[in-house]
Amino acid sequence: MKKPPRPELDPVQLRAAAEHALARHPLPPAPDAGSDELRHWHELQVSQIELDLQSEALAELQTERDQASALHARYAALYEQAPAGYVSLNHSGYITRANLAAAELLGKAQAPLLGKRFEQFVTPSAQAELRRFLQRLFDSGERAALEVLLFEPSGAAGAGQESRRLRIEANLDAGAQTCRMILTDVGNASTRDAARLRAMQVLSNINEGVLVCDAELNIVSVNHAFSQLTGYAAEEALGRNPRFLGRAGAHPPGYHAAALAQVRSQGRWQGDVFNRRRDGTPYVAAMSLTVIRDGDGAITHYIGVFSDVTAQRDADAALQRWSQELDARVAARTAELSASREELRQLATHLETIKEDERKRIARDIHDELGQNLLALRIDLSMLNARTAGSHGRLHQRVSAALETVDATIRSVRGIMNELRPAVLDLGVQAALEWQAAEFARRTGLACALTLPDAAGLAALAGLSPEMQIVLFRSLQEALNNVRRHAHARGVNIVLALRAGHLALSVSDDGVGIGLQQPERRKPESFGLIGMNQRVAALGGRVELCNQPSGGCRLTLSFDL
């Protein structure tokens, strides 16, 4: 990582830093010192701090210089001892720098190389091409490569021995206008032929088929594995276009043309090719194509390496079919579950409707039958109580006790009717919510505040459907019941809001709250919230339950009217 350059020591900034350091750690002045002595003492302290800061900065600067010198020495050693030959040329082609490997490769000592033209170390026939190569490099600045023959001094090469070939990889240092080159000895024709022979021996012993084509796409060489995979002997394949191996119509139109265009532009292509063996057996070949270029960048050969992947592709296809079949089964099962869930939702809604109707019917029957009979019985007992008040004391006491029992029964019947279906529901959702809030406060002793919409909102609430009113009332009942049993709250706040066609009922308390992952929400027998969710979802609403930042819990029912 390159460090930013250190800024110069500014006297003004140094003075400000010293003043700041003295202000943070002031030293006590001498006792009974006058103002001039104080100023003189202050100047001495600031000067001392400035000197300390300068010393620290100079010490750090010296350390950085030592580190830079060590890194430069290490880089120089790596450059000099590198196994590859490194040479730098100026714009005129003169050598400005060379390492030991380059000097050994060029056959000169390192010091005499500096200041010599590099082209004098290549054969005269390659010097013009080298000059053009360097000119293109300085003009374009693009990295390039070139192979040339080394000039062998008289008597340096043995009798009949060919000159060695040198590969040059060069780039341009635009800032210094210097050409930096890496020199590689690729040997003479004999060594290259031996290397090719070793490469062919390796290719003949690998399991992948290899074919080499010339620039006209005619096969010039194949290995033994090619014959084993295709069934064609080498003499049957030489001179032919590789397309004779393919299956007609197996690929989409333009497949081979696109592959050839890619390998020519990018130098590499990989893909599957559908071929046929000599005996007609079809197979799938995983093919990799590369190109070989000459010094001018022109393509001289194409190399193809392939292997038989028929079994693997069949397994992949089978796996794909199984995956698609599994996806289809999952989709079908999901559709069945969705249908079952919808049926269960409809059944739950139907059961809630039936239950509400049954409550209404039972409450009406109790009111019409039992309530009227109790009322008639009370009237008779009241008349009997009045007649026996002065003449039959003991009978009067028995009648008074019976009258109290009838009154208690009437109150119980009225409570049962209110639990089943309060008559106040027939007066509208406003009256029902007010009655429920007052009833909760009376039974529990907790503070219960109810906030309703304004006059316009209350007028709009009158148009709510009976189903919506029942859902709001029953949900409030369940929410208040949960507060009474679990919240340990001191007060409850109920808000019914109607804004822009959006109706919301929220019930919040100041109790202990509820953890979203607590077991209370997952008990199998806790159907309160489940039933509330079912009722609200049946009308297209949403239920949200969350803890409040100030403590307690808030339950919100939202509907888009």
Side-chain angles (χ1 to χ4, degrees):
M1 179 178 178
K2 186 177 179 181
K3 293 182 64 176
R6 176 175 297 280
E8 296 292 336
L9 291 177
D10 187 359
V12 177
Q13 294 180 356
L14 192 61
R15 174 75 179 192
E19 293 280 0
H20 182 66
L22 184 59
R24 286 187 302 172
H25 304 287
L27 295 175
D32 302 329
S35 60
D36 293 338
E37 294 179 353
L38 287 176
R39 282 195 298 271
H40 180 65
W41 172 85
H42 180 78
E43 289 296 330
L44 289 176
Q45 296 297 326
V46 171
S47 300
Q48 181 62 41
I49 294 176
E50 287 181 356
L51 290 175
D52 293 341
L53 292 176
Q54 288 179 348
S55 299
E56 292 177 3
L58 291 175
E60 187 176 353
L61 181 61
Q62 184 60 41
T63 301
E64 291 180 357
R65 286 178 177 174
D66 294 342
Q67 292 176 351
S69 299
L71 290 176
H72 183 270
R74 187 181 305 172
Y75 165 76
L78 290 175
Y79 179 85
E80 291 295 333
Q81 303 299 327
Y86 294 146
V87 173
S88 298
L89 307 182
N90 61 17
H91 197 281
S92 301
Y94 288 94
I95 299 175
T96 59
R97 191 174 184 183
N99 68 346
L100 294 175
E104 182 179 357
L105 184 61
L106 299 179
K108 291 284 186 180
Q110 189 176 10
L113 278 177
L114 304 181
K116 294 186 178 295
R117 293 181 65 89
F118 181 75
E119 67 178 46
Q120 74 181 60
F121 296 97
V122 303
T123 57
S125 59
Q127 291 178 0
E129 183 180 6
L130 176 62
R131 287 193 294 269
R132 290 193 297 269
F133 172 79
L134 294 176
Q135 188 62 44
R136 287 195 303 268
L137 179 68
F138 279 102
D139 292 342
S140 65
E142 297 180 358
R143 184 185 301 269
L146 176 68
E147 288 190 6
V148 295
L149 293 176
L150 277 176
F151 176 75
E152 301 289 352
S154 178
Q161 185 176 358
E162 186 181 352
S163 299
R164 292 176 299 162
R165 182 171 289 273
L166 184 69
R167 177 174 176 81
I168 302 172
E169 299 178 35
N171 61 5
L172 180 66
D173 184 353
Q177 280 297 301
T178 301
C179 170
R180 295 178 297 190
M181 300 191 303
I182 301 177
L183 309 180
T184 306
D185 185 5
V186 296
N188 52 30
S190 300
T191 58
R192 291 193 296 275
D193 290 342
R196 292 193 187 99
L197 180 59
R198 287 193 299 272
M200 291 305 300
Q201 289 175 348
V202 172
L203 292 177
S204 297
N205 289 279
I206 64 175
N207 294 326
E208 285 78 14
V210 179
L211 69 156
V212 182
C213 298
D214 58 16
E216 286 74 29
L217 294 177
N218 296 318
I219 299 176
V220 297
S221 178
V222 296
N223 68 342
H224 181 66
F226 173 90
S227 300
Q228 289 183 327
L229 291 173
T230 64
Y232 289 95
E235 55 271 16
E236 294 178 298
L238 297 179
R240 302 177 67 178
N241 190 291
R243 287 199 176 186
F244 80 95
L245 299 170
R247 283 182 270 165
H251 291 285
Y255 183 83
H256 294 90
L260 188 60
Q262 178 178 335
V263 75
R264 285 174 174 170
S265 61
Q266 302 180 12
R268 179 176 291 276
W269 176 87
Q270 289 182 339
D272 287 351
V273 180
F274 301 115
N275 286 346
R276 191 181 301 275
R277 293 186 176 88
R278 194 175 189 278
D279 59 3
T281 305
Y283 68 99
V284 182
M287 177 72 73
S288 174
L289 295 177
T290 55
V291 297
I292 297 177
R293 302 179 185 272
D294 59 13
D296 295 329
I299 297 176
T300 59
H301 293 87
Y302 297 88
I303 300 177
V305 180
F306 65 95
S307 57
D308 186 356
V309 293
T310 306
Q312 180 181 349
R313 296 297 182 264
D314 290 343
D316 293 342
L319 183 61
Q320 181 69 21
R321 289 194 300 270
W322 294 338
S323 177
Q324 293 174 354
E325 182 180 353
L326 181 60
D327 291 343
R329 290 182 180 180
V330 170
R333 185 57 179 164
T334 302
E336 292 177 3
L337 292 176
S338 299
S340 300
R341 188 180 296 109
E342 179 63 22
E343 291 176 356
L344 288 175
R345 189 190 64 80
Q346 294 176 359
L347 177 60
T349 303
H350 180 63
L351 291 177
E352 288 293 333
T353 303
I354 292 176
K355 183 169 66 175
E356 200 64 41
D357 293 342
E358 190 67 14
R359 284 178 171 180
K360 184 177 181 181
R361 185 190 65 79
I362 294 174
R364 185 175 60 248
D365 290 346
I366 292 175
H367 178 272
D368 294 344
E369 299 294 335
L370 185 58
Q372 291 181 6
N373 292 338
L374 287 173
L375 181 60
L377 179 60
R378 190 185 189 287
I379 292 173
D380 292 341
L381 288 175
S382 296
M383 294 174 61
L384 182 60
N385 186 52
R387 290 180 181 181
T388 59
S391 56
H392 299 82
R394 183 174 295 178
L395 179 60
H396 178 72
Q397 292 178 358
R398 297 292 299 274
V399 172
S400 296
L403 187 60
E404 291 177 0
T405 302
V406 171
D407 288 339
T409 304
I410 290 175
R411 288 192 298 270
S412 298
V413 169
R414 187 178 295 115
I416 293 172
M417 290 171 57
N418 286 332
E419 288 294 332
L420 289 172
R421 189 180 188 277
V424 73
L425 277 173
D426 297 329
L427 301 179
V429 67
Q430 175 187 356
L433 297 183
E434 289 176 345
W435 176 85
Q436 183 63 56
E439 187 71 10
F440 175 79
R442 182 184 65 82
R443 289 186 177 183
T444 63
L446 301 178
C448 185
L450 173 63
T451 303
L452 295 173
D454 54 13
L458 292 176
L461 289 178
L464 290 179
S465 64
E467 294 81 6
M468 179 72 74
Q469 296 183 23
I470 290 293
V471 167
L472 290 174
F473 179 77
R474 294 301 183 192
S475 298
L476 178 60
Q477 263 189 337
E478 182 63 34
L480 292 177
N481 190 35
N482 288 335
V483 171
R484 178 180 60 82
R485 290 188 299 173
H486 306 297
H488 306 291
R490 297 183 302 274
V492 182
N493 188 27
I494 306 170
V495 178
L496 181 65
L498 179 62
R499 299 186 186 89
H502 181 78
L503 178 65
L505 174 65
S506 66
V507 181
S508 56
D509 61 72
D510 57 358
V512 297
I514 181 171
L516 298 183
Q517 302 298 329
Q518 285 181 357
E520 286 79 356
R521 299 191 64 187
R522 301 181 182 271
K523 288 181 179 178
E525 66 274 11
S526 299
F527 294 104
L529 287 176
I530 298 176
M532 188 188 303
N533 275 290
Q534 290 291 341
R535 295 191 191 100
V536 173
L539 296 180
R542 300 177 300 279
V543 177
E544 296 180 5
L545 181 63
C546 63
N547 286 325
Q548 301 183 102
S550 59
C553 180
R554 183 174 67 250
L555 175 70
T556 305
L557 281 64
S558 303
F559 301 91
D560 292 326
L561 302 180

